[in-house]
Amino acid sequence: MILKSNILVIDDDREMRNSLKDLLTSGGFQVEVISSAQQGLEKLRQQQFDVILCDVRMPNMSGLELQKALQPISKIPIVLMSAHGDISMAVSAVQDGAYTFLEKPFDPRRLLGVLSNAAKLNHLTLNNDRLKDRLSKLSGLDKILIGESEPIQRLRNDVFDLSHLDSNVLITGETGTGKELVAHGLHDLGGRASEPFITLNCVALAPAQFEEALFGLADSTPGYLDRANGGTLFFDELGAIPLSLQPKLLRVIETKEFTPVGSTEAKKSDFRIISAANEKLESAVANGEFRQDLFFRLNTVMINLPPLRTRGDDISLLYTHFLNHFANSYEIEVPVSTAEDFSALMSHDLPGNVRELRNACERRVLMARRGDGSFASALSGVVEGGETYPDTLREAVAAFESQLIARAIKSCDGKMDEAAHVLGIGRRTLNEKIVKLGLNKNDILEKM
């Protein structure tokens, strides 16, 4: 028995209250007794208890009503008791979340055992919550998945809970919501944390090269499956896996065996698969562009990342965090935010989500280093007068490359091999640059 666990007894019968107090005190519990459920709600706001022992039938608020009122605010186990209980009441109470239901008169030894076990459950729950909080902070989840809104808190809890499983996870969400960050969190908190985390960007590989890259070559050149042995294989942009290769990948997932290209000997690899896809993947499945059986294999568990526009006060929290981060990185004072800055922030939809906000904050800090700029101009990347504002040499090069690639794709009517030839680079290099620069071939062609 857990000694000195704190029990709150609620019963409108004075004689029963005193009798229970004597019994539970002799059993090693600290006991407080009150006469109504309303008093119980007040007491729970002021003091922490391990278990609530409450009569069902009381004036004004019943024990069942107290139980429902507590569900949103407390995880404390509640044991209900009644001299008028029946099977349907007991079943209903337990289904609604009660720890158990006891009918009066009850065996004192049974009551002590029930309360002892309920107190143990409460202690384990509290310890688990504290452990989750500690591990979350140790893993950096609270620093990576920043925010206090309900969606982001739920996401952090999901990442922690799912990290300890070995199930395949599919992460969906809009561009810039942090799918790869979540994938890393799932790996870093799990049992494979000390093993490799291998990322395969499916868009960056030409269809003809995909099988070779995934399975490796007979001359012992390792592929992604080989390299991920013992760890996690992360498929980014899952929908870009060639349809012709999907049956082979499905078999690999089922058997954990694969045969390198040009070889006749099968190899084994123990890996967990985490995938990321935009929200159009289900449409691709419905249209036959992605195999349904493979989709079901990879989405054993699904995590959908919330867009930033649905996260309320997290937007201003992230804005402040990124400004401080980049001001510290570039060793300047944090730019003073004006009412116009906050107006620009809150009125912008941020279609690029956290990534867009992060980049805009970096531009704002770089503008401040030159002594000018506003957050509105940082969001648009344009300074007053309409001139494009490349903040760094890297950004200027990226902008120039984007223009050249878009021009080549347009001139070749979307034929990627021809566009690569015009640019004087290989098709794989072109694919990698398209991914890195965030270009979309369809968007480019629509603007023709």
Side-chain angles (χ1 to χ4, degrees), residues 217-423:
L217 296 171
D219 64 2
S220 297
T221 301
Y224 284 90
L225 292 172
D226 222 349
R227 291 160 54 198
N229 187 28
T232 299
L233 179 56
F234 175 53
F235 286 108
D236 198 8
E237 298 292 347
L238 178 65
I241 294 178
L243 190 60
S244 60
L245 190 61
Q246 291 177 23
K248 291 186 178 180
L249 178 57
L250 181 63
R251 179 168 176 76
V252 171
I253 295 170
E254 292 172 344
T255 65
K256 295 295 176 76
E257 289 187 353
F258 65 96
T259 304
V261 175
S263 175
T264 57
E265 291 187 18
K267 300 181 72 173
K268 284 187 173 291
S269 183
D270 173 34
F271 51 84
R272 180 190 192 185
I273 291 181
I274 299 175
S275 309
N278 60 39
E279 293 167 321
K280 298 177 182 177
L281 184 60
E282 291 193 37
S283 298
V285 173
N287 295 334
E289 298 167 1
F290 194 93
R291 288 180 64 105
Q292 188 177 59
D293 47 5
L294 179 59
F295 177 71
F296 289 146
R297 272 292 179 185
L298 294 174
N299 75 342
T300 305
V301 180
M302 288 186 71
I303 299 178
N304 185 256
L305 304 194
L308 185 54
R309 60 183 173 275
T310 67
R311 290 173 50 188
D313 291 342
D314 285 354
I315 297 173
S316 55
L317 179 66
L318 285 162
Y319 167 76
T320 303
H321 167 76
F322 288 138
L323 280 184
N324 281 276
H325 169 75
F326 288 116
N328 182 62
S329 296
Y330 291 110
E331 299 180 340
I332 68 166
E333 292 292 322
V334 180
V336 176
S337 294
T338 65
E340 288 76 15
D341 288 332
F342 281 110
S343 176
L345 171 67
M346 302 314 295
S347 63
H348 187 61
D349 282 342
L350 292 166
N353 293 289
V354 178
R355 182 187 299 151
E356 180 183 1
L357 178 58
R358 187 181 191 277
N359 291 342
C361 287
E362 183 175 13
R363 284 196 292 271
R364 176 68 189 94
V365 167
L366 287 166
M367 290 175 180
R369 191 169 63 170
R370 299 183 180 99
D372 58 17
S374 66
F375 191 69
S377 58
L379 277 169
S380 65
V382 175
V383 294
E384 294 180 7
E387 180 187 352
T388 300
Y389 204 108
D391 298 309
T392 64
L393 178 61
R394 182 173 58 191
E395 285 190 345
V397 171
F400 182 63
E401 284 189 334
S402 296
Q403 292 174 7
L404 286 179
I405 290 171
R407 191 183 306 157
I409 290 173
K410 286 180 181 180
S411 67
C412 297
D413 295 324
K415 298 180 178 67
M416 302 304 285
D417 288 332
E418 291 182 16
H421 179 73
V422 167
L423 292 165

Side-chain angles (χ1 to χ4, degrees), residues 9-81:
V9 176
I10 309 173
D11 198 307
D12 66 337
D13 185 323
R14 182 175 180 179
E15 186 176 340
M16 177 59 76
R17 289 199 306 272
N18 291 336
S19 175
L20 285 169
K21 183 171 184 179
D22 290 342
L23 172 63
L24 300 183
T25 301
S26 67
F29 295 101
Q30 289 182 344
V31 185
E32 187 154 349
V33 295
I34 54 177
S35 60
S36 73
Q38 290 95 329
Q39 284 180 283
L41 284 174
E42 275 303 313
K43 185 66 69 173
L44 288 163
R45 292 188 182 99
Q46 304 163 6
Q47 188 176 343
Q48 180 67 40
F49 293 90
D50 296 303
V51 186
I52 301 166
L53 177 62
C54 183
D55 194 17
V56 170
R57 298 199 178 190
M58 291 184 295
N60 299 320
M61 178 182 279
S62 71
L64 292 171
E65 290 170 334
L66 172 65
Q67 174 194 344
K68 289 181 180 177
L70 286 174
Q71 284 177 343
I73 60 175
S74 174
K75 295 181 181 179
I76 299 172
I78 182 167
V79 176
L80 294 172
M81 55 184 176

